[in-house]
Amino acid sequence: QVQLVESGGGLVQAGGSLRLSCAASGRAYSGYSTGWFRQAPDGERWFVAAVNWNGSRTGYADSVKGRFTISRDNAKNTVYLQMNSLKPVDTAVYYCAAPMRPYYYTALKAEYAWWGQGTQVTVSS
């Protein structure tokens, strides 16, 4: 019902920036919160950031506070993750996701039902 596609990943040097996009298709996405998660090679998928349906509420993992910014453009059905001051430890596949229920904000991975395929972010030293 909710289809999500991530883009914007790539290779960047430490200290650089990337902007990831999460585009929804198949239906209007403006009523959904969106979370960003990341998974290092052979690692767990961890919460990074989330934004509610209208952008008035955001949350971040401690490891990215002050460096990453989540935002959304409901007219484009797109959520963004601006990543600045990137570090090698940020290297991971980044996924966006939506919870099952519209207008429901959560930072808990278990409550997200719809997932994109991920985009690779690699930060070199």
Side-chain angles (χ1 to χ4, degrees):
Q1 185 171 297
V2 177
Q3 300 178 55
L4 305 173
V5 179
E6 303 93 337
S7 63
L11 176 64
V12 65
Q13 196 166 12
S17 299
L18 286 172
R19 189 181 74 163
L20 306 183
S21 297
C22 175
S25 62
R27 61 180 291 172
Y29 191 62
S30 61
Y32 286 87
S33 296
T34 301
W36 283 98
F37 298 79
R38 66 188 184 187
Q39 185 170 359
D42 300 321
E44 185 70 32
R45 191 173 299 184
W46 297 103
F47 171 78
V48 175
V51 61
N52 76 338
W53 70 278
N54 67 354
S56 64
R57 182 179 179 182
T58 59
Y60 299 91
D62 288 341
S63 59
V64 306
K65 285 181 179 177
R67 299 189 298 121
F68 291 11
T69 303
I70 189 170
S71 62
R72 68 188 305 150
D73 184 347
N74 282 347
K76 296 182 177 180
N77 280 349
T78 301
V79 174
Y80 304 98
L81 184 67
Q82 179 67 46
M83 306 185 296
N84 298 326
S85 301
L86 283 163
K87 306 174 181 179
V89 295
D90 297 318
T91 295
V93 177
Y94 284 70
Y95 300 87
C96 65
M100 179 65 70
R101 290 173 285 172
Y103 307 106
Y104 180 69
Y105 176 88
T106 181
L108 300 176
K109 182 176 66 176
E111 296 185 325
Y112 282 84
W114 308 97
W115 295 83
Q117 293 299 306
T119 184
Q120 176 70 50
V121 172
T122 302
V123 184
S124 63
S125 301

